[in-house]
Amino acid sequence: MSQLEETAPESGSLAELARKHGLRPAIARPRFPAYLRQLWERRHFILTYATSRNVSKYSGSALGQLWQVLTPLLNAAIYYVMFGLILGGSKNIPNYPAFLLTGMFVFTYTQRTVTAGAKSISGNLSLIRALHFPRASLPLAYTIQELQQLAVSMGVLLVIVLITGEPISWFWLMVPVVLLLQTMFNIGAGLIMARLGASLRDLGQLLPFIMRTWLYASGVFFAIHDKVVGSAGLPEWVATAMYLNPAASFIEFMRDLLLTRHTPPSMVWLSCLCWAVVTLVGGFWYFWRAEDRYGRG
């Protein structure tokens, strides 16, 4: 009998021996409740990783952390000139600067989180292959990183809202609630994009076009109902569909709280809640299902 024939039964029995003694592969996917517990146990790593990325991101520039505020402000200034002044987007919109900045800051938070989430696995393969940890830690850390940047931007936004004539209102106490719901949605969306980005190599090329289309469809520069139904003459359901777009819902919710003369449809409140819960739960489940495949290949 050859050596190969002698070792084959032995190697075949190894799997049976491992199962008999409760052994399993090191990268095996844990049960979902256990997976969530592992993430909670690594919460300090996730927060530290996000903070260190935030600090190092602007460490090489002269203005440093100021770019967290300057980047959306410069974008908003360009869009204000183009859409507000040249194309007349500010027509019939009270306090258009605050209207525009609110839309820009809220949308940028989701846009940057989704984009970063798509690269969180594919851009950290060396870390994933070297260490054993819940892979969802990476998209979660990227979301926290963007949330930290948003905190600075929201401080600037509130100052601008006051300067442009909006009074302080009790509704401002609801701002953290909107940000909580949006963060829940962003976490779920980031997890979904992380799994897709780990397997679809062309996603990085498509994302800029997807994000740009999403930007224009979310009413960042214009009042959705006025432009879609009033100016374009499209059916009412088109405006409704645009309001139910998650980015538009969070933008309209925030504008409703900060701008006294802005009254979006009441359905955006329910839309924000539904998008937050469904996307968070679905995103975690979808990402967890492929936990044992990240970093292979």
Side-chain angles (χ1 to χ4, degrees):
M1 183 181 294
S2 67
Q3 183 178 1
L4 179 61
E5 292 174 341
E6 292 177 355
T7 58
E10 295 178 2
S11 61
S13 63
L14 288 178
E16 298 177 3
L17 184 64
R19 284 194 296 269
K20 179 179 178 181
H21 292 277
L23 302 180
R24 59 193 180 94
I27 60 172
R29 184 182 70 227
R31 294 182 180 274
F32 192 64
Y35 189 68
L36 296 179
R37 286 196 300 270
Q38 291 176 13
L39 281 173
W40 175 251
E41 292 169 357
R42 289 162 176 81
R43 62 191 182 277
H44 300 298
F45 161 73
I46 295 172
L47 180 59
T48 303
Y49 183 69
T51 304
S52 62
R53 282 184 55 86
N54 240 337
V55 173
S56 62
K57 183 175 182 179
Y58 302 101
S59 60
S61 60
L63 297 179
Q65 300 297 314
L66 282 177
W67 282 110
Q68 295 184 31
V69 180
L70 290 177
T71 299
L73 280 178
L74 291 173
N75 286 333
I78 294 172
Y79 288 130
Y80 176 75
V81 173
M82 291 299 301
F83 290 91
L85 300 180
I86 297 177
L87 299 178
S90 60
K91 185 179 180 181
N92 300 325
I93 299 180
N95 197 356
Y96 186 72
F99 176 95
L100 176 62
L101 280 176
T102 302
M104 282 297 303
F105 283 0
V106 172
F107 182 82
T108 299
Y109 176 36
T110 294
Q111 177 191 37
R112 291 169 64 98
T113 302
V114 170
T115 303
K119 303 174 183 178
S120 59
I121 299 298
S122 59
N124 291 281
L125 291 179
S126 58
L127 179 64
I128 291 173
R129 291 167 179 168
L131 301 174
H132 178 68
F133 61 94
R135 308 315 188 198
S137 301
L138 294 174
L140 278 173
Y142 280 68
T143 303
I144 293 175
Q145 177 188 357
E146 298 303 331
L147 180 61
Q148 291 174 341
Q149 295 194 22
L150 178 70
V152 179
S153 299
M154 287 303 298
V156 175
L157 176 61
L158 293 179
V159 172
I160 293 175
V161 167
L162 288 173
I163 292 175
T164 54
E166 298 292 338
I168 297 177
S169 167
W170 289 107
F171 290 112
W172 287 26
L173 296 176
M174 289 287 292
V175 169
V177 176
V178 183
L179 296 182
L180 173 61
L181 293 175
Q182 187 181 6
T183 301
M184 291 170 60
F185 170 79
N186 287 357
I187 290 173
L191 289 167
I192 293 172
M193 295 303 295
R195 177 174 173 178
L196 293 176
S199 57
L200 301 178
R201 297 183 178 181
D202 293 332
L203 185 61
Q205 305 300 323
L206 292 173
L207 264 181
F209 302 100
I210 296 173
M211 290 297 113
R212 193 173 299 116
T213 303
W214 199 8
L215 173 69
Y216 294 139
S218 299
V220 174
F221 319 114
F222 55 87
I224 292 177
H225 191 273
D226 289 345
K227 286 295 183 182
V228 172
V229 179
S231 300
L234 296 176
E236 189 75 30
W237 67 265
V238 178
T240 301
M242 291 181 68
Y243 279 122
L244 293 177
N245 155 23
S249 294
F250 290 116
I251 290 172
E252 293 297 320
F253 197 167
M254 187 67 74
R255 284 171 176 165
D256 190 26
L257 299 179
L258 298 180
L259 309 179
T260 55
R261 291 173 287 178
H262 185 76
T263 54
S266 57
M267 63 183 174
V268 299
W269 295 61
L270 181 59
S271 175
C272 290
L273 179 61
C274 292
W275 277 114
V277 174
V278 172
T279 308
L280 179 66
V281 175
F284 262 114
W285 181 86
Y286 181 71
F287 184 89
W288 164 76
R289 292 287 297 175
E291 175 72 13
D292 54 350
R293 299 202 295 269
Y294 300 128
R296 291 189 174 184

